[in-house]
Every structure is written in structure tokens, then in C-alpha cells.
Amino acid sequence: FLAAAGCTGALEGGRGPSDPGEGAAAGDEGAGGAAPGPSAPTGPNPSPNASCPLPPARLWALSPQQLESVVRSMDPTLAPSWKGLRATVAQTSTFSSLAGDGAPSVARSEQLLALATELAQGIVARGPRLASCLAQPSWSTACVTEAIATVGERAFRRPLAAPESEAFAGFFARERAQHPQEVALRQTLRAMFLSPAFLFRSELGDGPRGELTSYELASALSFFLTDGPPDGALLADARAGALRGSG
């Protein structure tokens, strides 16, 4: 991240770090990315922006320790059991934050499901702290939408996109048709905590050149420096577009 941010010189010819065949599989925290990025430009006098090839698009699987940091940032009083999930990570190095040591398995999937269920139960039990309207006997659609948006931004480290908000609201409505409102909200939040947007952080970018989004920059910076999610101030900077230079 820092190397890419500081790249200003012109690169001519040769193989770049994003050539096909280099790097590790996607999803490994602390490893290279899977998708090849654009090669270094060649030719005379490339522009300053063109001289710095983008890193490959990547998804980083969060380690149990990093997930625990995300949960603490959502609500410090949430205290789910992490022992089972940690046990699914084969410690092959001295760095406990390497999620790449936790290969997909039935045991890991079961522990993630248990974690999502426990988190959803804990948040619904603290409902009024999340959204004051949840203290009412009957929740309005606007109240549920507010609760979903609040939890979603904290869990995903960015605001929910409109299609995501609509999908979670629709999921709640279908569950509400069959269950009490508290059960429907728990089911909805459990689905949120099983989402890749919660379990992974992305460096996929957007736009024609695939630059990282402001929220991806905030997460990259925060996890690099603190091994945890961006705090409120850093998210506010991302929302305001303050993390990008003027040049």
C-alpha cells in the first residue's frame, strides 16, 4: 500500500510485480494478490499517473484477531467466544494475524456461523443502543432500515451500497412475515455477519483505472498500522474524500 502510494518515478520495460504468475492466492492476509494488474508502461515520457502501475485487485480474509477488533469497534460490550474460531487457524508462523493459515473447512464454516449467530443475538439484545426506535413495541420500516444501515457501516467498514440495503431490508421483510420482529432482525444481522464484506476486506477499486475507493484506502491504512478497522475519524475522512491527494 505505502509502496504504491509513493510510486512517482517512470518505469520502463521489464517485468512488473503484477505480472501473471507472481504472487499468492487471493484471500491470504499478508500474501500477494491473485489477479494480475496492468503492466508497467513503456515508451518515452509516460505521464506521472501512468508511470505507477496499480497493484493487483485483492481480497484479504480477516484473521480471528482482526475480526475481534472489528467487533470491538462496533460495540466494546460484545463478547462472543473466539476460542473455536481461533482453533481452526493452523499457526504456521509467529504472526497471529495471518488469516492465510486458516484454510476453508467445515469446522471453520461452523465456527463462523456460530459467531454470526452470537453477534446477531448480542446486537438485537442491545437494540436501543443501536437505534432508539428499537425500544418501541413495534418497529417501523424506517427504524429497521436505520438499524441495518448502522450495523452495516460498522461491520463492513463502509456505508452499505443501495443494492445491499435493499437486499437486507427485503430479507428482513420475508423473515418478518414468518417470525416476530426480533427474530427477523437477528436473522438479517446473522446474514450480514456471514457476508464476504464482513469477513474480508477488499482492494478491488473502482473507476476506469481501478483506483482503491476512499473506504478501501481507509481500511488499508488502518489494518496496516493497527491491525484493526478504521475508527470514526478515519471513516469521516474517507466519506469526505480527504484521503486522496489533490494531485
Side-chain angles (χ1 to χ4, degrees):
F1 169 71
L2 294 181
C7 178
T8 56
L11 301 176
E12 303 228 359
R15 286 170 54 87
S18 57
D19 287 329
E22 297 188 4
D28 281 358
E29 183 73 22
S39 59
T42 58
N45 301 321
S47 67
N49 289 335
S51 70
C52 188
L54 293 170
R58 293 176 288 192
L59 286 173
W60 301 103
L62 298 188
S63 70
Q65 287 78 8
Q66 291 167 337
L67 286 172
E68 186 173 359
S69 294
V70 173
V71 170
R72 282 199 306 267
S73 74
M74 294 170 58
D75 188 333
T77 68
L78 288 170
S81 173
W82 296 97
K83 183 177 180 180
L85 184 60
R86 291 194 184 110
T88 67
V89 177
Q91 200 67 39
T92 59
S93 71
T94 58
F95 296 97
S96 62
S97 63
L98 293 181
D101 293 342
S105 65
V106 172
R108 183 171 177 82
S109 298
E110 289 175 343
Q111 289 300 322
L112 289 173
L113 177 60
L115 173 65
T117 301
E118 193 172 354
L119 287 176
Q121 290 172 341
I123 288 179
V124 172
R126 296 162 174 78
R129 295 178 54 177
L130 174 68
S132 59
C133 60
L134 294 179
Q136 300 299 319
S138 180
W139 303 337
S140 66
T141 300
C143 176
V144 173
T145 300
E146 176 189 352
I148 290 174
T150 300
V151 176
E153 181 166 359
R154 296 176 184 176
F156 293 1
R157 288 84 68 190
R158 58 167 175 77
L160 295 181
E164 292 173 324
S165 298
E166 294 169 3
F168 285 121
F171 186 90
F172 173 85
R174 291 190 296 273
E175 290 294 314
R176 182 66 182 91
Q178 305 177 56
H179 305 289
Q181 60 185 10
E182 292 81 6
V183 174
L185 185 57
R186 282 201 301 269
Q187 295 286 77
T188 302
L189 296 184
R190 184 174 71 166
M192 184 178 290
F193 294 131
L194 290 171
S195 167
F198 174 68
L199 299 174
F200 294 77
R201 70 176 180 86
S202 69
E203 291 183 358
L204 301 178
D206 62 3
R209 293 194 67 246
E211 294 93 342
L212 298 187
T213 69
S214 292
Y215 292 101
E216 286 177 331
L217 284 172
S219 281
L221 179 62
S222 182
F223 277 98
F224 176 76
L225 294 175
T226 71
D227 206 31
D231 59 16
L234 190 53
L235 285 176
D237 285 343
R239 188 178 297 108
L243 300 182
R244 296 188 181 277
S246 58

